[in-house]
Amino acid sequence: MKIFVDRQLCENHGQCAIAAPDVFRMNSEGILEYEENVTDSLLADVEDAMDACPVQAIFIQDQP
């Protein structure tokens, strides 16, 4: 599956990095970094991160 973070919405709160540290992380400048392509085994963590995001900036894009 592919993860997309809308940078227009993202305010770098970092709640996603707490909810799914295997996918999301904050760099040394406090800017969100993330893995765009993740395995389905991380779906629950990504969904938790989506729920934790205060501005709902995280999306899942299904890949064929």
Side-chain angles (χ1 to χ4, degrees):
M1 105 186 100
K2 186 170 180 143
I3 307 301
F4 171 74
V5 174
D6 185 331
R7 297 295 183 164
Q8 297 290 332
L9 295 175
C10 179
E11 296 176 350
N12 295 303
H13 292 276
Q15 297 302 308
C16 57
I18 295 168
D22 291 335
V23 180
F24 303 94
R25 66 197 155 279
M26 304 304 287
N27 70 18
S28 62
E29 296 175 3
I31 304 297
L32 177 69
E33 296 178 346
Y34 65 101
E35 301 298 323
E36 287 186 11
N37 296 297
V38 296
T39 62
D40 290 342
S41 64
L42 292 172
L43 177 60
D45 289 344
V46 171
E47 288 175 338
D48 287 346
M50 292 170 71
D51 290 341
C53 180
V55 295
Q56 302 296 289
I58 303 168
F59 303 91
I60 296 174
Q61 298 176 331
D62 291 325
Q63 293 180 312

